[in-house]
């Protein structure tokens, strides 16, 4: 069955597909008739939908958090798209989570294989043993490959943590080649491990949310605890090396205000912080600029950065949009092959 | 033998006692004669000293970091007290570290017994088991009783960590009686454990200095690691309780800028932060005001607080100073009983 | 007559009671019929209400700021409760202000009696005379017992100033017992007087609003002026004591950014600032956590603190909510005894 | 008798005059001879001086804080001018305080007469009555004419408060002519009174120092108290006018960080803050640039402003220096007429 | 034809005039009928308007950005004025831009003539030549007379740049008369040129918007580039004078945070910054206070200044409003003479 | 002749070489004999030196800023090395400036050739033409190859600007390969030009000092002016491209507080800022860590970063120091070939 992505719904167009019920309310018209207001979601956004008929009967068939299959028609109410639902049933068959959550555009298996190759380049046997200890933990790796790197902004989608980790690690290798005074093994190992605490900081089953321990402890401290547990099993790990590695993780946000309990105190710690910052900005701003739908040469005001971003002459961006749409169509074909 | 405290040395007075050699330099007068310049220290301060005779011979008998026994005379050079050493020998007998480092004015055994009593009041069996696990570790307790609470400012002396921990714990009990919505067991347990990372953050054998792990990881994260290790041995420890306890430790500095990787997110975390702040200020400023030797009603400018402090009419302070001097004399008698 | 609290109004339920008219607008339907839109308020919140019939006649019977007695029915419009008014008349009889403004949950008479007992413990005759001078001023005391401690956040309800003042004073006594170097009389006197300027800073007849002098001068300076007036009548008041007391009031917000024209410069000033901060947070956050209706273990994002607060496992909070509802029901019974 | 100003003392030159003894120390040479080290001051600076002969006898004749009359010779020791005193006696005759403290370069009587003229232009009878009440208080006026406007930086000399007040008042008149929406009477009255608290904030008998009440309360609150006392005697003073005037004084530092408990909230308050800031900078920086003795086109690094200031091509400044030297010579002639 | 200003539209009143179409949307009622929702604008504000009949036909006659002539009726929907359009046609005749954009209330020709008079007073021949070079450039002057000084806040209307520049220049003359140490020619020249970069920073044809170069480079740097171009044509311009002038422009925002790449480093630079700040605040806040429609003695909360502003007793403001209304009526008469 | 580097002078060792006279003072001993105190400098540091004999004669032979050739002996006075000069004459022969100023350790010709190769890779003909226009200006290139990149901290030595520019450009190429969405030509061109304003910001003949225009305008604005001049000669340069390039230069410090008048507003501007920051820190901190002579595993407190830096186990650093010393010896051999 074909799924119409929410972002692709057009005024007066047909709507058809599986959607997550984010909220569900029964209310009365002024004439006293019940109607149902739903907020439906897929990974491309949310939309309001109405059921005007057989409300009591339909209303009992599903609850918030369920996935429903509908057909309907889109119209506009107060400048917002609104769906009039004609048919509705609860979806009982297994659904591809990727319909409801965005995933990395890159291939997870390939990226992980790249990361392993980099890890094999670590010459220091202690650091290599540490990384291998993580790599050998199937439960950890399964989560590591699935986790996003953030709730929003940069790499905020399934597989984002791996994508970000690989990119930071590749940059770490390039930077140590450019600045040979840097300890390449230490920086690469810090790059691989710097954000592993995100696995515990975020819940990412249905949607990306902070976990309780994420908000109370944060991924920096959670990551330190994960590394500590492994270090205990590696008996002759040199103490200064362990100290430097822990410091890399602790200080990788660079400043107290960004939640680092310590600021960088040696070269590799500065390097890791700057590479991480670069990768977060290139991914986060890159996506923001691509996804921006504001007319003209500037994005909407961005609260995180407290500024507008420059997109420049929009004619030059035509290709990008084309590619983007193609990408979406291809992924859709994969998810909902035509029967 | 009597020891003349460095702070008590007067112009033209005799000098006699055991002092730590902080620095030692040999130089030449314009006439080409060698002389020795030493910086001597005990817990009351430092002073410059000179040896003009038999320099080559004497110079070989000790090095920086040794303790020497001297007699000499104090005079003034460029408005600074300077000691002319007449006799000098290296001290070989064991010395009371309390001569060279200040200690808590309170009784360590009594304070620790008080703290244990408070710990026994913890009703929650998990939290009580956690505290008892620490209390049963003799090596930990030995360090815990000896450690200072800071390098400078508040409780910056041997036994200061215990003194501060007890005081914060007592305040925690009072505060939970006043605000019954607070979880008394959680706050008390957080009070007892909040600064244990200081044991690893500071070295305090000869003088109080930050350790490498202190500067690179900090006592907040070091404390979390120490608690984590114990929590692993307490199998059914409730996960939310453990999370709240870890958060109390992580957030007890209150703000990012003070090195807390997380800011307080529930009532007990705010309470612990404010009690800790109160105790640090009452101790640190109380000592600063007592020790200040500036004439008039104001202290010298304080860089940490960026202000002058008000001492008020000095005549009203006469008693305090009297008490203080008595305290010093009594302690000295204990250290150097008249033979 | 029974009053249905606005927060307790349920979808499709009957509505009955006395409400304050906060706003009143006449408009036309697309069919050209007039209707009346009201915002009604009691101390539990506000709600929109509609009058569809006899609009011209009814509209003239009351104005904004009046209290009306209505019966009606609640339904939901755009996810908001909306009342369809069936009967409406202006309330001419005297109304209990406590219906429209929240009050302290504690007994005002008892609290004031507690505060007087504490005041009698002041040993310094000058400070005691100063406090007694305030206590003997019936007009002042009448306002002092009624005033809130804030417009929002902590103790933002009638009687809140007294509740906060008593709590801070009790903590001051405890703190001086714990830190005997503190001047107990000075700190207690500062605790009692620190916020008296709030009487002039806020108007609290119908609702809590800043007064003109509140916004232009602030409660710190207003409090100083009130104390100054009394000090002039106490002829031999020691000048340094008066200076210290004034400084306690001036500096009790702790930092310039919080509106203190001077930062604390001696121990009692730091202690008062920290106790005041503790009490404000325990009350303000305590209420925020209790009143929060957000699902899950976290409150909604709090703008003042720029963070979410942790409520933890909601099952553990069931008792609290029960108690709260009981409290509301009891108060309602007192206000609207069943006839 | 002629007085050699300390700033004018040249290497190898003769020294002669009355100087304030700021510090006095007796010490011994390595040969065991006593000598006297003095710090001497007049309003142009301080200098170290030595007495090598008859030290015991001379030393008893004066103490710190006395004024002595000396003759001697200047030489250089470690790149500092040092005076070898040949003759020394305590000065018993009355001395002109202006030798030891700098005074405004302007005529105090003329300035005060200017200020009175401006005050007479106030049309609002209440504000005029308030100013006249101050003007009629001889004790107040005597202090007001003598006080400096600051300890350092701007107008930090006797008569500086009057000079600054007049200048701000003149600017206030100009600004209200330029922006006719401003209330001219209110702004002028605020200008005249904005800094009167400086009379109490500073002690300025021998040198300019903060008073205890200056440091604990500050000139803003002290000024408010002085105005309040007068307002009480002016029975029908309009309350909003009094409120606006108090706010002008309270907010004239503009920001919390500068010690204003309230920030400006209407036009005249902004205007007064900016005029005050302008006058402080023009006077303070103007003097700093004139007095700077650093070679080249830049001043020494200025800590208050955290920057260097540009003096530009020094040849263009020749005239200024000439004028300045003339001014100093003329003042000296007035103080020490040739006999 | 008469134009009803949008701010003057009253509930149930007739509407008639030329309006700019800011947005245009076609939608369907629940019954399936098309209707048109427009946002109409003139210089006094914006309003929503509806077309219910002949929607397809009318909709094709104009697009966003066009000016239309309408008649209609105002009613209230959800507490907002909404216009029901009866007649609508596209306006083809030339329209006075002043209907759609606010202009300075002052006479542009007179202001420019005043500014030229001030410029003639410049005695330094180099600075005078520089100003004359700008004055002789008709294209520059034409833009300079039309440009606003800001997008919002101060002088945010056509002619605002000239009005602001003249006012700052007049203040500069007054300030140099008051502080004779200031270089009058330099300050006046800096005042005239300080904001010329606004001509390029803002687009102000249809409405005031930042240009791309405005957001990417800013008016400070754009102004520097404009001055640089002229300086190149003035061959013997003294280099230090040019440097000082450039610095005046670069530093006129006073602080890094306000976008000045350099902070003021000599007296004239401080003076220009403070005068500019004064003029911006007097104009911006003056207009804000006059235009504020909030009931009571305070404005709505102002986000830029993070505070409420005091308007005081509204009865005293009656005159102002009267004058203001007159001004608007007079301007309207000029724009739409009664036929 | 061999030159003893100032940093290599040892207590009691012989001194011999050419040194720059930074300051020169004649003074008298207490016995009335003249002596000469000099501050001598070479690129490794400064040292105090004394001449006790024939002072009048020798003193006239040279002035501050001259280079003198001396022999002498080093002793210690007050813990500082001090040279007793035995022979002294003014050096008349041309001296290698590299003796008195540090130079890049890399080969300038090679680095410039590398940079040119990178520049040839620019595909965009406009950007390539711009860079070629700079490369063709021999006077510019001569200065560009000689200039330092800073007064202190990073690349603060002759040739440092080229070294830094090449390194940033190489990183820019790597970063655009890693993030293919970036415009490689734009980023590389911005990297090459970002700091060219340093040529005018700094004077670097005898030592590195800020120029007047450096302090008043800064290298960011100076660089913009240099680019602007070239852009005027390249007639069809696309306006958006020019705008983006100017913005890269203007925003490369990243934040207002660092003196950027605009913050980055598109991806390449963020990338340039982060690469520049990385290169400055790797060079500046790398040198700081290498040059630090503090005992133990930590550097002295660093004021710029407000922290200590970790050097770790010093035994591991032995090789580095060896290499460094070798480098110095080799360079010395080149400068002072053994005759």
């Amino acid at each position: 069955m074909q799924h119409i992505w929410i972002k692709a719904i057009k005024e007066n167009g047909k709507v058809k597909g599986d959607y997550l019920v984010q909220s569900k309310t029964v209310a009365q018209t002024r004439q006293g008739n019940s109607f149902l207001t739903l907020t439906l979601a897929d990974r491309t956004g949310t939309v309001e939908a109405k059921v005007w008929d057989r409300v009591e009967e339909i209303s009992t068939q599903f609850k918030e958090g369920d996935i429903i299959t509908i057909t309907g028609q889109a119209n506009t109410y107060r400048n917002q798209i609104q769906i009039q639902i004609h048919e509705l049933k609860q979806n009982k068959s297994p659904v591809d989570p990727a319909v409801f959550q965005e995933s990395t555009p890159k291939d997870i298996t390939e990226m992980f294989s790249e990361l392993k190759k980099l890890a094999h380049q670590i010459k220091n046997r202690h650091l290599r043993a540490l990384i291998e200890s993580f790599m050998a933990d199937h439960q950890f790796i399964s989560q590591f490959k699935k986790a996003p790197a953030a709730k929003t902004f940069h790499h905020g989608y399934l597989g984002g943590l791996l994508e970000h980790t690989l990119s930071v690690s590749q940059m770490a290798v390039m930077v140590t080649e450019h600045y040979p005074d840097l300890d390449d093994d230490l920086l690469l190992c810090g790059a691989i491990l710097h954000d592993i605490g995100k696995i515990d900081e975020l819940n990412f089953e249905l949607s990306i949310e902070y976990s309780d321990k994420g908000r109370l402890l944060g991924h920096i401290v959670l990551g330190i605890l994960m590394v500590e547990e492994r270090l205990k099993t590696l008996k002759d790990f040199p103490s200064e090396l362990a100290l430097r590695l822990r410091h890399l993780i602790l200080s990788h946000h660079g400043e107290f205000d960004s939640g680092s309990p310590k600021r960088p105190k040696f070269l590799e710690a500065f390097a890791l912080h700057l590479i991480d910052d670069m990768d977060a900005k290139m991914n986060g701003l890159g996506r923001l600029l691509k996804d921006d739908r504001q007319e003209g040469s500037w994005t909407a005001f961005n609260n995180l950065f407290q500024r507008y971003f420059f997109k420049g002459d929009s004619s030059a961006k035509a290709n990008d949009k084309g590619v983007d749409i193609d990408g979406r169509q291809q992924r859709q074909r994969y998810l909902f092959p035509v029967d």
Side-chain angles (χ1 to χ4, degrees), chain A residues 1 3 5 17-21 41-43 65-70 89-101 103 146 158 205-206 334-337:
Chain A
M1 191 201 101
H3 173 89
W5 294 109
D18 295 341
Y19 304 94
L20 176 71
V21 181
D42 66 16
R43 74 158 196 257
D66 284 351
I67 288 163
I68 56 175
T69 306
I70 65 160
K89 60 178 176 191
Q90 196 192 345
N91 184 313
K92 308 268 185 185
S93 52
V95 288
D96 187 327
V99 179
F100 304 104
Q101 281 212 64
S103 282
K146 191 176 174 197
L158 296 179
E205 283 312 303
L206 293 168
Y334 169 76
L335 291 166
F336 298 98

Side-chain angles (χ1 to χ4, degrees), chain A residues 120-290:
Chain A
H120 286 140
Q121 293 174 17
I122 296 175
K123 299 166 300 297
N124 180 292
R125 68 179 174 89
H126 303 289
L127 294 173
R128 205 174 53 239
L130 176 65
I131 297 296
E132 279 166 4
S133 156
F134 278 106
M135 294 286 187
D137 178 341
H138 294 300
Q139 196 180 348
F140 169 84
I141 289 302
S142 154
Q143 290 295 90
F144 179 72
K145 285 155 95 170
K146 191 176 174 197
K151 177 162 160 41
T152 49
F153 193 50
H154 84 93
H155 304 88
Y157 42 68
L158 296 179
L161 176 59
L162 172 57
E163 183 186 342
H164 172 59
T165 300
L166 175 61
S167 181
V168 168
S169 300
Q170 289 166 331
M171 281 284 292
V173 170
M174 290 194 305
V175 163
T176 49
E177 283 166 4
H178 191 63
Y179 298 108
D181 282 355
L182 291 173
D183 183 330
D184 51 359
D185 283 355
L186 177 65
L187 185 59
L188 177 53
C189 187
I192 295 172
L193 299 178
H194 80 288
D195 262 354
I196 55 172
K198 296 249 166 135
I199 291 171
D200 282 354
E201 187 183 43
L202 298 165
N203 290 328
F204 41 89
E205 283 312 303
L206 293 168
S207 59
I208 304 175
E209 300 296 340
Y210 282 96
S211 65
D212 287 355
K213 65 171 67 167
R215 277 207 183 127
L216 290 173
L217 307 183
H219 75 277
I220 287 183
V221 166
L222 289 166
I224 285 286
L225 293 175
M226 290 162 77
V227 168
E228 200 65 20
E229 207 176 345
R230 303 270 161 195
L231 283 174
K232 290 227 170 88
T233 66
L234 301 169
K235 287 307 176 192
D236 65 342
F237 206 99
S239 68
E240 186 177 314
L241 190 63
L243 203 46
R244 284 181 181 265
L245 181 63
R246 287 190 205 103
H247 180 74
L248 278 185
I249 297 171
L250 268 191
S251 68
H252 83 263
H253 278 198
E255 295 294 335
F256 291 137
D257 270 2
S258 313
S260 271
K262 287 287 169 185
R263 298 166 303 158
K265 300 205 169 174
F266 47 83
L267 284 182
E268 291 81 6
F270 278 97
L272 179 57
H273 162 55
L274 288 167
I275 294 169
D276 179 42
D277 196 15
M278 172 86 82
D279 195 61
K281 280 179 179 143
M282 291 302 115
N283 178 275
L285 293 177
R287 279 160 40 93
L288 185 153
L289 285 163
K290 267 188 191 155

Side-chain angles (χ1 to χ4, degrees), chain A residues 24-53:
Chain A
K24 181 186 113 178
T25 321
V26 181
Q28 272 73 37
T29 64
R30 286 187 201 152
Q31 288 76 30
N33 302 322
S34 291
F35 64 96
L36 205 53
T37 304
L38 309 176
T39 308
L40 300 180
D42 66 16
R43 74 158 196 257
T44 68
T46 60
V47 70
E48 199 179 83
K50 298 280 183 188
V51 178
W52 300 101
D53 299 321

Side-chain angles (χ1 to χ4, degrees), chain A residues 104-116:
Chain A
T104 169
K106 305 200 172 154
D107 186 292
I108 285 178
T109 311
E110 265 177 40
M111 286 194 292
F112 188 64
S113 148
E114 276 302 312
L115 189 66
K116 274 172 104 165

